[in-house]
Amino acid sequence: MGDAVTAVTVRLGDAAVELAPDASVREALGRLGAMRADVVAVAVTPAGADAAQEWDLDRPLVEASAAAVDVAPIRAATPEGRDILRHSTAHVMAQAVTDLFPDAKWAIGPPVEDGFYYDFDVARPFTPEDLAAIEARMRELLAAKQRFVRAEVTRDEALALFADQPYKREIVERVEPSEVDVAAGRDEPTFTVYRNVAPDGTEAWVDLCRGPHLGSTDRIPAFRLMRTAGAYWRGREDQPMLQRIYGTAWESEEALEAHLKMLEEARARDHRRLGRDLELLHLPEELGPGLAIFLPRGAHVRRAMEDWIREETLARGYQPVYTPHVAKEDLWRISGHLQNYAELMFPAMEVEHATYRLKPMNCPFHVLAFQARTRSYRELPLRISELGTVYRFERSGVVNGLLRARGFTQDDSHIFCTADQVVDEVMGCITFARDLYRAFGLGDPSRVAVSTRPPDSLGSDEQWEVAEAALVEAATRSGFEVEIDAGEGAFYGPKIDVHARDAIGREWQLTTIQVDFNLPERFDVAYVGEDGARHRPFMVHRALFGSIERFFAVLLESTNGAFPLWLAPEQVRVLPISEDVLPYAEEVRGACAAAGLRVELDAADDSLGARVRRAQTEKVPVTLVVGGEEAAARTVAVRPYRGEQRRGVPLDGLVAELVAEIGAGRRGEIPPPAVD
RNA sequence: GCUGGAGUAGCUCAGUCGGUAGAGCAGCCGCCUCGUAAGCGGCAGGUCAGGGGUUCGAAUCCCCUCUCCAGCUCCA
């Protein structure tokens, strides 16, 4: 390094070309036949380096400080390419904001999933009219064909350049020298800035940025400003609130349109809308935010979920308990919830000189169940389980239908076990979670993450280390690649979160498995060991659905309300073609009901077409149309929600078929259907 | 909790300059007796989120509160 390089060999796959050091990577790609209009940047790997760097197209080869480099074009329609495109669009937006609001101070403007944002400190929040004006100004800047020009500066130069930009100065001041800087013998980091240069050579704007960027502003094919939002500087509540503008940018108008259409569809999939339209849920204002009523159709689905988990829980050796919804404050003081969790608990209720609290968690009750009598090591592992409804006073801004509620039900279990049983027990929970995801059509877990010790937490270092290691071992031995979410554990112990991906690709955290060493200590929980002495058990807490309500909402949005047969609130609908076949239609309904199917007869005074339409829009999995032909032959015409119609299907055979499908569905043997 | 946006019939939405509210769907009643995604006609349905203010007059303008949405923060 540092030696004068006279020529650089540039390789792309099998092709190679030798160029002068001052040639740009753009030129190199051109010579290699890999330059296209949609190439936004270049992945450059200097010989000997183990990772590629993203470079601007106009950056000269000499800056690689290597005699040979590997290059690969980064195209707009790739995740990396879109990030660059969006990052550049964020810069253009900041320039437009500065043009329209000269006093605006800039914070950060990164690409994010599906778009970008930029945070500003401005005198007043942006209005929708401001957004339209900013977007219009951005279109002028795109047409102005400003080039993005990269430059390296020192810390002092950067501080001088952004003398009137306090947030940029703060960023500059906080940066430590990177590994690259250290390797190059620099004790100060190098900063990069990007100047926006107009075709006439004048500098229109400059921003601190790691890059890379597009060659020029007219290379942004399609963008849209989406919305404004408040956001704390550096994401901390004690910091000033900035005004954030979200936008999105894409490689083509078509891609932008497709994205906007997808957003529209996601809105239509909202569980609150589906819950209302399909008469599953009722979220009236009279109840209060974060509280829900399950209407009969929703209740049928929920019961199917609850029946499944109850049966499986018993089959896997858990003991059921029932516990109350409130308890005296003393209990919450012993458990530590009043000290550590008070802001999430509903306020106290005074009753006959005693103070009661709604339960935010089921754990203390399960501990009391364990302590109902002296426990022997022979009883361990003891798995205590219930569907326990808890109430948490969530801050008003975070409540979100069933996904984030103030009252919700956990399929909650606490496993009391010895140290050497922990790994097996946690593995059992992970396997259980996998089986549950499969049965409910979510496929296998998409992500398994162990959350480690957070800053404010109870317990000793040794306890945490042992428990974290046990969780990692259990997840690994269950066949999952474990990710570590550092510092994300609960205050009372580390946890494993099991995530699933829904039908439209969104990831949800559902199952949580936690080790709790707080409660056993606080309640002085003990069992009598083989040696006759008292021993402290480990306590593993797990909720597989997470929350029944939340899982229900995820399932509803994932299936778009078209539940698999075994979960559907109404599994079969019978439609008589005319009044004279009503007796046979009744018979069909009766045959289904006798087999345990949830079935309705729609003999309303509407045309068959209207009733078929109603059955389809209500997403009933199986519609049976019966007329004279069917009555005579004791068959049905089957119209499934998805798939082909079948006529002349024998009634008995169909009922057996549906019963078999329900069994298979419950056992997780039916793969999820195509996206509805 | 914080920032912005919104709240009109069960649902989706219109309502101009401040002049006391309308459509489609759903519901109810009647006609039609029907072969696979909307047959026809009629009726009823509103404290315009709630409260206060300005005004001769408020869905419309102002203030407060509640709720919802999008974020931030937080989380199952």
Side-chain angles (χ1 to χ4, degrees), chain A residues 495-532:
Chain A
K495 60 173 180 170
I496 293 181
D497 289 325
V498 185
H499 301 250
R501 210 172 274 289
D502 74 10
I504 57 170
R506 296 176 299 181
E507 196 169 65
W508 301 92
Q509 190 231 297
L510 300 165
T511 296
T512 184
I513 303 162
Q514 315 184 336
V515 175
D516 186 334
F517 17 75
N518 176 42
L519 287 186
E521 296 285 341
R522 297 190 74 101
F523 280 88
D524 191 22
V525 179
Y527 65 91
V528 177
E530 209 173 347
D531 56 3

Side-chain angles (χ1 to χ4, degrees), chain A residues 143-311:
Chain A
K145 300 192 178 188
Q146 294 175 357
R147 288 186 300 129
F148 286 90
V149 180
R150 180 178 187 276
E152 294 187 0
V153 296
T154 65
R155 193 192 295 270
D156 288 342
E157 287 167 340
L159 289 173
L161 204 49
F162 300 106
D164 59 349
Q165 290 292 340
Y167 301 98
K168 293 295 178 194
R169 289 177 60 95
E170 188 174 332
I171 294 166
V172 169
E173 280 160 1
R174 296 174 70 90
V175 172
E176 301 285 325
S178 69
E179 286 176 26
V180 175
D181 295 317
V182 173
R186 290 187 292 260
D187 53 4
E188 272 289 288
T190 301
F191 295 85
T192 53
V193 297
Y194 278 80
R195 301 175 195 282
N196 283 53
V197 179
D200 65 6
T202 56
E203 180 180 311
W205 202 62
V206 59
D207 194 5
L208 179 74
C209 184
R210 189 175 300 142
H213 277 289
L214 303 177
S216 59
T217 56
D218 60 316
R219 294 290 181 171
I220 297 171
F223 78 97
R224 183 78 58 87
L225 299 190
M226 305 298 284
R227 68 181 90 85
T228 60
Y232 299 106
W233 168 234
R234 292 172 45 217
R236 286 172 40 173
E237 278 184 284
D238 58 353
Q239 296 289 321
M241 179 162 275
L242 308 173
Q243 295 303 315
R244 174 172 297 179
I245 302 177
Y246 280 93
T248 189
W250 293 84
E251 65 274 12
S252 65
E253 280 292 341
E254 294 73 45
L256 172 63
E257 288 301 322
H259 174 65
L260 297 176
K261 192 163 172 248
M262 195 276 290
L263 290 180
E264 193 63 40
E265 279 169 13
R267 251 194 302 283
R269 218 173 242 275
D270 186 289
H271 70 278
R272 285 158 299 203
R273 171 191 286 264
L274 287 169
R276 187 184 56 218
D277 290 351
L278 298 175
E279 286 185 29
L280 304 168
L281 300 170
H282 189 39
L283 306 164
E285 282 198 12
E286 294 89 322
L287 281 182
L291 301 170
I293 286 174
F294 280 71
L295 295 173
R297 295 178 78 86
H300 279 301
V301 178
R302 178 170 172 161
R303 280 182 67 108
M305 295 169 63
E306 292 179 351
D307 288 348
W308 189 94
I309 196 77
R310 282 203 176 100
E311 283 174 28

Side-chain angles (χ1 to χ4, degrees), chain A residues 19 68 79 195 237 281 332 367-368 385 403 496:
Chain A
L19 288 168
R195 301 175 195 282
E237 278 184 284
L281 300 170
W332 306 110
V367 170
L368 293 181
S385 175
L403 291 172
I496 293 181

Side-chain angles (χ1 to χ4, degrees), chain A residues 647-668:
Chain A
R647 299 194 59 167
V649 179
L651 175 59
D652 295 345
L654 179 83
V655 170
E657 186 186 309
L658 294 180
V659 168
E661 184 180 338
I662 286 167
R666 287 176 61 96
R667 291 189 300 272

